[in-house]
Amino acid sequence: MDRVPVNSKDLASVGYDPITQTLEVELLNKKIYHFYGGVSNSDHEDLLSADSHGTYFSKYIKEKYPYKNFKKLKE
């Protein structure tokens, strides 16, 4: 899944797969999370257009959808 970089104190990049409705989030600490269970395209677009990506993520994504945590990216 391709991710786009975001300007955030918490997030490094965000990707979305509309077929599986999965949101991929890379944090600045290089951890990657897949949020699944029907993440809507509007949630993805709203995250990308939010004034604060981290605040939107914490409020509307993090606790709303189940997720899987992946290992850190190699430096």
Side-chain angles (χ1 to χ4, degrees), residues 16 20-25 32-40 43 57 60-70:
Y16 182 70
T20 62
Q21 294 185 312
T22 300
L23 182 74
E24 184 174 271
V25 175
I32 297 175
Y33 294 86
H34 278 190
F35 292 85
Y36 57 94
V39 178
S40 68
D43 270 342
F57 171 74
Y60 297 107
I61 305 293
K62 189 175 180 182
E63 301 299 325
K64 183 176 178 181
Y65 298 104
Y67 66 89
K68 293 180 183 176
N69 180 2
F70 293 87

